[in-house]
Amino acid sequence: AFNLVRTDVYRAVGGHEKIRMRPDDDLKLGKIIKLAGWRQELVDGGGLIAVDWYHSLGELIHGLEKNSFSAVEYSAPFVVFDTTAIMLLNVWPFIAVFVVWGPVRWIYVAVCLGLWFMTWLMAVGMRAPASCALAFPLAALLMVYIQWRTMLLNYWHGGIRWRDTHYSLAELRANKV
């Protein structure tokens, strides 16, 4: 939720100049700092500070409209690739348990248990209810929906509305980091 950057490092990388047109500027700031050869650290502030992100599923979906397509550099082929990978690796195993038979079914059961276990570990690590792990395949489907919805809205509107201004897809694509 926060980037704490030394002033000299921030100035050395040109501040936000390179990422002024990036709705994912928080992520790209870390990237330009790393590309410039500076060292970075991650500090877990859990229990020290909290940030309310979204209060409802609708807010989450709407809130990610401005930056989900930017995360894939505004590339439709990448959305197709990414969402296909999500479906094959994170959703299909849960469906396969019910549609395949024999030894392969048990392999999918093991894969599902492994995915749930990894998700449970992440939930515990983020101090979220461990039961959140049970919703993993639904969360993966939601991410696919958000990526496709965001891409289609970007094309439909010719860009995004961000900071009370419309930014065209062409100018957003031109600001690659």
Side-chain angles (χ1 to χ4, degrees), residues 10 16-26 62-63 65-67 74 160-168 171-172 175:
Y10 185 72
H16 267 69
E17 184 58 30
K18 293 178 186 171
I19 54 175
R20 70 183 189 284
M21 293 293 296
R22 298 295 311 206
D24 55 354
D25 60 338
D26 53 344
H62 181 72
E65 281 177 11
K66 74 169 178 44
N67 54 9
Y74 305 99
I160 62 171
R161 182 148 192 86
W162 175 42
R163 302 183 292 204
D164 293 325
T165 304
H166 180 268
Y167 295 90
S168 75
E171 63 186 326
L172 292 166
N175 191 232

Side-chain angles (χ1 to χ4, degrees), residues 18-167:
K18 293 178 186 171
I19 54 175
R20 70 183 189 284
M21 293 293 296
R22 298 295 311 206
D24 55 354
D25 60 338
D26 53 344
L27 299 174
K28 295 301 182 181
L29 179 60
K31 182 176 180 177
I32 62 175
I33 288 171
K34 190 72 172 175
L35 288 173
W38 295 94
R39 183 173 59 90
Q40 297 182 56
E41 294 183 31
L42 174 71
V43 177
D44 181 359
L48 301 173
I49 193 165
V51 176
D52 282 337
W53 204 33
Y54 299 112
H55 295 97
S56 69
L57 183 59
E59 281 184 18
L60 171 78
I61 292 168
H62 181 72
L64 292 177
E65 281 177 11
K66 74 169 178 44
N67 54 9
S68 289
F69 200 33
S70 69
V72 295
E73 300 297 339
Y74 305 99
S75 167
F78 197 96
V79 168
V80 172
F81 173 79
D82 188 42
T83 56
T84 300
I86 290 171
M87 293 297 290
L88 288 174
L89 300 172
N90 300 310
V91 178
W92 168 248
F94 292 93
I95 296 169
V97 166
F98 298 102
V99 298
V100 300
W101 303 104
V104 175
R105 180 181 195 189
W106 294 109
I107 292 170
Y108 279 118
V109 167
V111 168
C112 292
L113 291 173
L115 288 168
W116 269 327
F117 179 70
M118 288 186 298
T119 309
W120 174 79
L121 286 175
M122 287 190 294
V124 169
M126 293 188 296
R127 296 172 185 86
S131 59
C132 289
L134 296 175
F136 173 74
L138 296 176
L141 281 173
L142 179 63
M143 193 62 228
V144 168
Y145 170 75
I146 289 170
Q147 283 188 301
W148 275 91
R149 181 177 187 275
T150 300
M151 178 184 68
L152 295 173
L153 284 172
N154 269 256
Y155 283 121
W156 180 261
H157 297 294
I160 62 171
R161 182 148 192 86
W162 175 42
R163 302 183 292 204
D164 293 325
T165 304
H166 180 268
Y167 295 90

